């Protein structure tokens, strides 16, 4: 109710309302960003970029009541892109550097493993385990049925298991 | 079944929690995102010369604020097939709405599709004062920001014509039309066959190729301007200004104003200037630009009442923006980051220098005033610092200030105190003025 109201005000050019909207979603958005990027600076950058994108495309949002799922989706898209970019620079000659960064950030094996599994499964796992969202909410955000989300969750955990049993990519 | 995975995920979540991000830093990120988005909206305008920039701001503003629309007419017109969009767009400008209603508009409705972006020229309004172009673009992709990069007017051979184009490049409603104008001078004669050409960028990256739409002007439609010689001088707290004449075009009304060069104050502008007829109907500022002819002579544009033809017509305003001529220069010491000289109302504060910019805070309500007050600093030898770099105006409606930034490379700090010439300032003198036009 409140979100819908704020969206309508923000659309009319009320910047306070827009600021409030992002504030309400701030902690969720940051959790997603951290889940993907494992780095404070990058998470803040992600929050800024998502704010930027949401502000400029607010009027493309057809139903004000879906703001929450919509803005989370913008964040997910942003994080996907960032990870894709990172993969591109994961050239063997940079791996030494990567290892250093990795240790600095205390990245766990599980986080490395997460980046290796199917993007759809990863999304579900991050939303469930990092953001504590219910299957129902995840289904809404990803615009899939609850049973699909359950399947992806199962497959995702399975894929993680396989990755962890391999002993983690970069550490081999 | 997945105990290990789940427990490791929980562990990783805990570590993530320790990566604490302070509210302060995240709030800053949000504000920066908003400011960046607002700057993106205005990006093109900031790089325009000062006159057009201020005016473009006013345009954006007037579309939001003025809602005194002749609703029944708008409602009727918007139901005429093919007219809905244009009526929705011009309904906040009575003059343009009347032009549409009187069939003064020329429909073009021509599109070009390139790289999944459809660019459409909806219609034009052409009179002796300007060529107004209503356009839009739609992308196949969602969640991308498309902005035109540089509009050009070409003749039928594809040669660029030497007109500059001002107006809107972005609207947060993707289904809305946008408006650009080609201001025309006395004697300018556009060819009948024209091409509107632009490049587009997607998410700030320039796309290859151009989007071009040929169109034809129907010059038979042009109607002549109506000129009212007024020549009336008003005195406000010792400051004299003269309303020289008022010229009506279908697209807008031009009010020609002189300020007495002997005035002790510099007059920056007139607040709430409007036309009012014998029935109390008003036509406000809804301008795309103000033409500063010279320091003491300016043309202010209002909504047109060309097609209304009232019996009596008055020009009214209730205050002017003016500042003592001795207060027009602001002086700043970039080393101490201190203001050495500024208007004595003390509204200018907080000098900051970082990332190639000097920013100064102005205490004012951005809902009421956010015009450019200066654009560039000048060193002791009179050289403009960072001449070709853009200046910035940022504000958030949360705060009661506007932040102005001018280009200021770090080496400029060694130049000693620098000056900024004020181009506008929110200092008002109240004055009830009522001038008979006819």
């Amino acid at each position: 109710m409140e979100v819908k109201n704020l969206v309508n005000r923000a659309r009319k050019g009320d910047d306070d309302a827009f600021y409030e909207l992002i504030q309400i979603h701030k902690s969720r958005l940051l959790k997603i960003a951290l889940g993907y990027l494992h780095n404070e600076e990058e998470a803040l950058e992600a929050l800024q970029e998502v704010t930027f994108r949401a502000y400029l495309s607010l009027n493309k949002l057809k139903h004000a009541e879906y703001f929450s799922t919509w803005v989370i989706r913008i964040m997910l898209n942003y994080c996907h892109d960032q990870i894709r970019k990172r993969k591109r620079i994961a050239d063997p000659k940079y791996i030494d550097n990567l290892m250093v960064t990795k240790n600095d950030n205390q990245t766990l094996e599980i986080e490395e493993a997460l980046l290796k599994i199917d993007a759809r499964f990863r999304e579900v796992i991050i939303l469930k385990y990092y953001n504590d969202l219910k299957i129902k909410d995840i289904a809404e955000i990803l615009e899939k049925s609850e049973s699909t989300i359950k399947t992806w969750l199962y497959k995702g955990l399975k894929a993680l298991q396989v990755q962890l049993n391999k002993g983690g990519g970069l550490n081999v | 079944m997945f105990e290990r995975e789940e427990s490791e995920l929980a562990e990783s979540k805990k570590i993530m929690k320790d990566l604490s991000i302070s509210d302060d830093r995240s709030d800053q990120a949000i504000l920066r995102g908003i400011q960046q988005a607002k700057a993106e909206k205005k990006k093109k305008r900031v790089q325009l010369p000062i006159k057009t920039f201020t005016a473009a701001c006013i345009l954006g503003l007037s579309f939001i604020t003025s809602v005194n629309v002749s609703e029944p007419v708008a409602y009727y017109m918007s139901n005429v097939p093919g007219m809905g969009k244009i009526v929705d767009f011009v309904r906040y400008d009575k003059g343009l709405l009347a032009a549409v209603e009187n069939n003064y508009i020329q429909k073009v409705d021509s599109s070009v599709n390139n790289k999944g972006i459809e660019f459409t020229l909806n219609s034009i309004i052409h009179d002796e004062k300007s060529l107004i172009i209503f356009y839009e673009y739609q992308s196949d992709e969602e969640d991308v920001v498309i902005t035109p990069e540089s509009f050009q007017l070409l003749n039928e051979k594809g040669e660029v014509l030497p007109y500059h184009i001002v107006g809107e490049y972005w609207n947060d409603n993707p289904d809305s039309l946008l408006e650009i104008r080609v201001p025309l001078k006395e004697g300018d004669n556009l060819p009948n066959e024209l091409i509107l050409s632009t490049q587009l960028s997607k998410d700030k990256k320039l796309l290859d190729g151009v989007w071009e739409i040929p169109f034809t002007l129907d010059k038979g439609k042009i109607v002549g301007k109506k000129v009212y010689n007024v020549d009336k001088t008003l005195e406000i707290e010792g400051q004299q200004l003269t309303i020289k004449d008022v010229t009506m075009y279908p697209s807008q009304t031009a009010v020609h104003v002189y300020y007495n060069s002997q005035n002790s104050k510099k007059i920056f502008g007139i607040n709430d200037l409007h036309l009012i007829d014998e029935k109390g109907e008003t036509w406000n500022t809804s301008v795309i630009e103000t033409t500063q002819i010279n320091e003491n002579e300016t043309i202010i544009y209002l909504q047109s009442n060309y097609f209304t033809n009232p019996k009596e017509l008055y020009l009214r305003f209730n205050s002017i923006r003016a500042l003592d001529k001795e207060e027009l220069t602001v002086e700043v010491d970039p080393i101490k980051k201190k203001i050495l000289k500024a208007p004595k109302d003390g509204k200018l504060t907080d000098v900051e220098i970082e990332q190639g910019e000097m920013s100064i805070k102005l205490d004012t309500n951005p809902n009421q005033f956010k015009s450019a007050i200066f654009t560039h600093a000048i060193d002791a030898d009179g050289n403009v610092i960072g001449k070709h770099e853009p200046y910035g105006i940022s504000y958030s409606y949360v705060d009661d200030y506007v932040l102005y930034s001018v280009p200021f490379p770090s080496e400029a700090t060694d130049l000693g105190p620098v000056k900024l010439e004020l181009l506008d300032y929110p200092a008002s003198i109240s004055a009830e003025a009522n001038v008979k036009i006819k």
Side-chain angles (χ1 to χ4, degrees):
Chain A
M1 185 63 190
E2 193 193 4
V3 165
K4 195 177 167 187
N5 221 322
L6 287 169
V7 171
N8 288 332
R9 277 169 51 203
R11 277 180 172 161
K12 287 181 191 132
D14 182 340
D15 286 352
D16 286 353
F18 184 80
Y19 180 79
E20 191 57 39
L21 270 175
I22 303 290
Q23 273 294 339
I24 293 173
H25 296 86
K26 183 172 81 175
S27 117
R28 270 210 228 170
L29 292 171
L30 280 174
K31 273 187 200 162
I32 294 173
L34 283 169
Y36 272 88
L37 310 166
H38 308 299
N39 175 310
E40 295 169 41
E41 291 305 322
E42 287 184 50
L44 282 168
E45 208 171 292
L47 180 64
Q48 179 176 338
E49 183 65 24
V50 167
T51 306
F52 171 81
R53 291 186 188 180
Y55 189 100
L56 287 185
S57 44
L58 187 62
N59 276 42
K60 288 186 190 165
L61 171 67
K62 298 227 164 58
H63 304 284
E65 57 270 37
Y66 295 149
F67 180 86
S68 307
T69 54
W70 177 76
V71 75
I72 287 173
R73 231 178 287 138
I74 295 180
M75 178 58 95
L76 289 172
N77 286 340
Y78 174 83
C79 291
H80 282 310
D81 286 351
Q82 289 307 102
I83 285 175
R84 229 181 292 144
K85 274 184 207 156
R86 271 198 208 169
K87 274 191 186 159
R88 238 178 277 143
I89 56 163
D91 192 89
K93 67 183 172 199
Y94 297 124
I95 282 188
D96 283 350
N97 295 337
L98 266 179
M99 296 284 272
V100 176
T101 340
K102 197 165 75 90
N103 292 335
D104 280 355
N105 289 342
Q106 288 195 10
T107 312
L108 295 178
E109 221 181 338
I110 187 92
E111 292 164 0
E112 292 297 335
L114 255 181
L115 297 183
K116 292 204 177 73
I117 66 172
D118 186 298
R120 296 167 302 172
F121 306 162
R122 178 171 58 223
E123 226 160 43
V124 175
I125 288 175
I126 286 182
L127 292 174
K128 172 143 175 48
Y129 290 96
Y130 288 9
N131 283 44
D132 300 315
L133 290 182
K134 296 194 186 84
I135 298 288
K136 180 175 159 283
D137 296 330
I138 300 174
E140 212 168 89
I141 289 168
L142 301 178
E143 294 177 320
K144 295 282 179 254
S145 71
E146 287 184 39
S147 64
T148 305
I149 298 301
K150 280 183 199 156
T151 312
W152 286 0
L153 182 62
Y154 175 82
K155 286 188 177 169
L157 288 168
K158 191 84 197 154
L160 276 182
Q161 201 170 48
V162 172
Q163 288 296 333
L164 290 176
N165 288 338
K166 268 197 208 164
L170 290 170
N171 292 332
V172 173
Chain B
M1 185 176 182
F2 296 117
E3 290 82 11
R4 180 179 164 211
E5 287 70 34
E6 292 197 304
S7 84
E8 289 208 23
L9 282 166
E11 179 62 23
S12 138
K13 183 185 169 194
K14 230 192 277 165
I15 291 179
M16 208 174 72
K17 262 194 179 158
D18 295 338
L19 287 172
S20 61
I21 294 181
S22 71
D23 268 354
D24 220 29
R25 295 186 69 204
S26 53
D27 293 350
Q28 293 258 322
I30 297 173
L31 283 175
R32 270 201 305 274
I34 294 177
Q35 273 170 5
Q36 220 184 357
K38 294 176 83 78
E40 181 68 18
K41 274 196 193 182
K42 285 197 206 136
K43 189 180 72 182
K44 280 292 127 185
R45 297 168 187 171
V46 172
Q47 286 160 359
L48 292 171
I50 171 70
K51 291 186 274 195
T52 47
F53 172 58
T54 346
C57 271
I58 298 168
L59 173 78
L61 207 76
S62 60
F63 281 128
I64 301 163
T65 53
S66 55
V67 276
N68 51 343
V69 191
S70 107
E71 281 300 333
V73 174
Y75 178 78
Y76 167 74
M77 288 301 297
S78 64
N79 285 312
V80 174
M83 297 306 280
K85 242 180 174 163
I86 186 72
V87 171
D88 269 345
F89 186 77
V90 300
R91 65 197 304 165
Y92 301 106
D93 184 313
K94 284 179 159 184
L96 293 182
L97 185 59
V100 172
E101 184 196 339
N102 285 277
N103 198 23
Y104 192 74
I105 193 163
Q106 301 180 32
K107 288 294 282 180
V108 179
D109 271 334
S110 175
S111 297
V112 56
N113 199 317
N114 186 4
K115 298 195 166 57
I117 303 169
E118 186 173 63
F119 185 86
T120 305
L121 204 176
N122 180 293
S123 44
I124 54 172
I125 291 180
H126 178 212
D127 61 20
E128 294 165 279
K129 188 64 208 163
S130 56
L131 171 64
I132 305 180
I133 298 169
F134 301 101
Y135 73 97
E136 67 182 309
Y137 45 83
Q138 299 290 347
S139 167
D140 291 348
E141 282 177 85
E142 279 183 26
D143 295 332
V144 292
V145 177
I146 307 287
T147 42
E149 278 302 319
S150 56
F151 280 108
Q152 285 183 318
L153 206 53
L154 315 178
N155 64 17
E156 61 184 326
K157 290 181 207 141
E159 294 158 346
V160 179
L161 298 171
Y163 295 98
H164 80 290
I165 300 183
V166 294
E168 291 186 309
Y169 284 69
W170 196 86
N171 188 306
D172 54 3
N173 177 0
D175 296 324
S176 167
L177 291 176
L178 292 141
E179 173 189 344
I180 47 174
R181 292 189 183 200
V182 185
L184 301 175
K185 291 191 293 293
E186 190 98 29
D188 277 345
N189 193 8
L190 290 170
N192 291 348
E193 300 298 330
L194 290 164
I195 299 167
L196 179 68
S197 166
T198 186
Q199 285 186 287
L200 298 174
S201 66
K202 181 161 86 181
D203 287 337
K204 302 181 227 173
K205 277 185 222 72
L206 184 66
L207 296 170
D208 289 335
V210 287
W211 283 253
E212 292 192 336
I213 297 182
F215 62 102
T216 307
L217 296 182
D218 177 0
K219 289 195 178 157
K221 275 205 166 183
I222 291 199
V223 290
K225 62 188 174 193
K226 302 177 201 167
V227 183
Y228 300 92
N229 287 308
V230 184
D231 220 354
K232 164 121 182 155
T233 300
L234 304 163
E235 191 167 312
I236 300 151
E237 290 193 9
Q239 313 303 314
Q240 286 189 343
L241 68 91
T242 304
I243 308 290
K244 184 85 181 103
D245 53 54
V246 173
T247 308
M248 275 160 206
Y249 303 92
S251 62
Q252 59 202 318
T253 300
V255 182
H256 193 167
V257 185
Y258 282 92
Y259 304 125
N260 189 330
S261 60
Q262 303 299 311
N263 287 343
S264 64
K265 290 182 184 237
K266 158 118 182 138
I267 300 177
F268 297 119
I270 302 175
N271 297 327
D272 309 307
L273 186 70
H274 59 276
L275 288 167
I276 183 163
D277 71 3
E278 75 280 3
K279 295 179 201 135
E281 184 169 3
T282 58
W283 290 266
N284 301 325
T285 40
S286 178
V287 293
I288 197 150
E289 66 173 342
T290 298
T291 311
Q292 188 85 34
I293 296 171
N294 61 48
E295 201 190 341
N296 295 310
E297 189 182 352
T298 188
I299 295 178
I300 302 171
Y301 298 99
L302 303 177
Q303 293 176 353
S304 165
N305 71 351
Y306 192 95
F307 295 104
T308 314
N309 255 324
K311 270 198 207 106
E312 293 168 35
L313 196 60
Y314 303 87
L315 192 64
R316 283 187 193 165
F317 60 87
N318 52 32
S319 65
I320 57 171
R321 288 191 309 287
L323 198 64
D324 278 344
K325 284 182 179 168
E326 288 136 35
E327 292 193 296
L328 294 176
T329 307
V330 175
E331 234 177 290
V332 177
D333 178 343
I335 297 169
K336 293 186 186 145
K337 296 182 186 169
K338 217 181 135 197
I339 294 173
L340 304 174
K341 185 174 178 292
K344 48 185 174 287
D345 61 13
K347 285 180 180 167
L348 282 175
T349 54
D350 288 5
V351 179
E352 291 293 340
I353 295 171
E354 53 181 14
Q355 293 175 353
E357 282 184 345
M358 177 197 283
S359 68
I360 302 180
K361 202 169 117 180
L362 174 70
D363 290 326
T364 184
N365 180 349
N367 291 305
Q368 282 153 22
F369 184 91
K370 49 180 171 285
S371 311
I373 58 168
F374 38 62
T375 60
H376 292 83
I378 304 161
D379 68 16
D381 300 327
N383 299 315
V384 177
I385 300 168
K387 199 172 185 173
H388 302 293
E389 300 294 318
Y391 60 93
I393 301 171
S394 50
Y395 51 87
S396 106
Y397 293 109
V398 194
D399 306 306
D400 281 335
Y401 64 82
V402 179
L403 210 56
Y404 292 92
S405 52
V406 300
F408 206 79
S410 54
E411 60 271 21
T413 314
D414 306 330
L415 296 171
V418 295
K419 287 181 182 171
L420 296 136
E421 295 296 333
L422 287 174
L423 304 165
D424 205 340
Y425 197 76
S428 295
I429 309 175
S430 299
E432 294 293 329
N434 187 18
V435 177
K436 191 171 167 67
I437 304 298
K438 70 167 186 177

